[in-house]
Amino acid sequence: MTICYIIAMEAEARPIVDYYKMQERKDFFAPLPCRLWEMTVQGEAGENKVYVVTPGRQYNRDLIGCEPAAMTTTLAIERLHPDMVINSGTCGAWARHGMKVGQVCLASGAMFHDRRVPGDNAWATQGLGNYPTWDGTEKMAQALSLTMGKVTTGSSFDMSEEEEQLIEANGGRLKEMEGAAVAFVCSLFHIPVILVKAVTNLRDAPDEDMAAFHQNLENAAAELLNANIKIQKYLASLA
């Protein structure tokens, strides 16, 4: 099996790359800034080829958000031909739904919360997306003792009151900026996708701001690594 990780921030990707001592293939996506690392994971049932791809940087900042995620996923699928895509990253969540900072969750599905098309039900449905994740996700979540929740994606770190109402009405639990874009591209290519997210900040907590996100990022990235090690062992057992 060939697995491709799409990871927005290098701080989220670096623990995986360093743990597995992955080798970088420089300029694979040139002239675009996307970066690629690769490795092979051996399992009892065979081996998996695993890639990690990030969008790279512009203006000395990681390229976060839907557009870089969709571009990078499209390029990775066309050039690497993965059997499965995994979007691994951080997210916000809500304490009122039982979420905690540092908690790692697998997505039960993914939607956009900031693409509103009033007056046209068909386009409104297309705007929300509601993309499915890999049909083995629930079984894997049970095996690895990971919580599941619906990922909700938008192009901004903050959100309007209207967006929060839309998230709540559609069962969103994990708010971030890339997952639905990755799932959207995978749906067009008919490639299964897993979304694994670690909570960095609680949207309904008093300290909900960018400072809280940065303070918790390192710990969340470490929890992501632990979860992804388990995920790789689980998927290798299916190879």
Side-chain angles (χ1 to χ4, degrees), residues 127-141:
L128 283 175
N130 283 323
Y131 307 107
T133 52
W134 176 49
D135 58 12
T137 299
E138 184 174 0
K139 185 176 180 180
M140 182 170 68

Side-chain angles (χ1 to χ4, degrees), residues 2 8 11 25 33 36 44 62 78 91 98 107 145 172 191 205 209 213 223 230:
T2 299
R25 293 175 64 177
L36 169 67
E44 293 180 4
D62 293 305
E78 288 185 333
C91 68
S145 300
I191 294 177
D209 56 16
F213 168 81
E223 294 299 329
K230 295 176 183 177

Side-chain angles (χ1 to χ4, degrees), residues 76-110:
I77 289 174
E78 288 185 333
R79 298 192 185 186
L80 300 173
H81 309 291
D83 301 301
M84 175 180 287
V85 168
I86 301 177
N87 173 229
S88 177
T90 54
C91 68
W94 286 265
R96 67 174 178 266
H97 294 310
M99 298 296 183
K100 299 178 181 179
V101 170
Q103 184 174 357
V104 179
C105 304
L106 296 177
S108 56

Side-chain angles (χ1 to χ4, degrees), residues 1-7 29 35-37 49-54 72-73 75-77 80-88 182 186 191-194 232:
M1 180 187 297
T2 299
I3 300 167
C4 182
Y5 275 90
I6 305 294
I7 304 179
F29 294 104
R35 300 181 69 182
L36 169 67
W37 293 266
K49 182 71 175 181
V50 181
Y51 298 102
V52 168
V53 182
T54 65
T72 304
T73 304
L75 283 170
I77 289 174
L80 300 173
H81 309 291
D83 301 301
M84 175 180 287
V85 168
I86 301 177
N87 173 229
S88 177
V182 175
C186 289
I191 294 177
V193 62
I194 295 170
Q232 285 307 312

Side-chain angles (χ1 to χ4, degrees), residues 92-189:
W94 286 265
R96 67 174 178 266
H97 294 310
M99 298 296 183
K100 299 178 181 179
V101 170
Q103 184 174 357
V104 179
C105 304
L106 296 177
S108 56
M111 62 171 276
F112 290 101
H113 63 253
D114 60 355
R115 303 199 309 184
R116 297 178 295 277
V117 190
D120 189 303
N121 289 336
W123 264 336
T125 298
Q126 190 273 343
L128 283 175
N130 283 323
Y131 307 107
T133 52
W134 176 49
D135 58 12
T137 299
E138 184 174 0
K139 185 176 180 180
M140 182 170 68
Q142 292 172 351
L144 303 182
S145 300
L146 294 174
T147 302
M148 292 187 69
K150 188 175 184 179
V151 163
T152 170
T153 301
S155 294
S156 300
F157 182 82
D158 61 3
M159 61 185 169
S160 68
E161 183 177 340
E162 183 178 6
E163 288 170 349
E164 183 155 12
Q165 291 172 353
L166 188 66
I167 291 169
E168 190 69 21
N170 285 274
R173 294 293 181 266
L174 307 166
K175 188 268 181 193
E176 44 84 89
M177 298 176 66
E178 290 88 20
V182 175
F184 158 67
V185 174
C186 289
S187 74
L188 297 181
F189 282 97

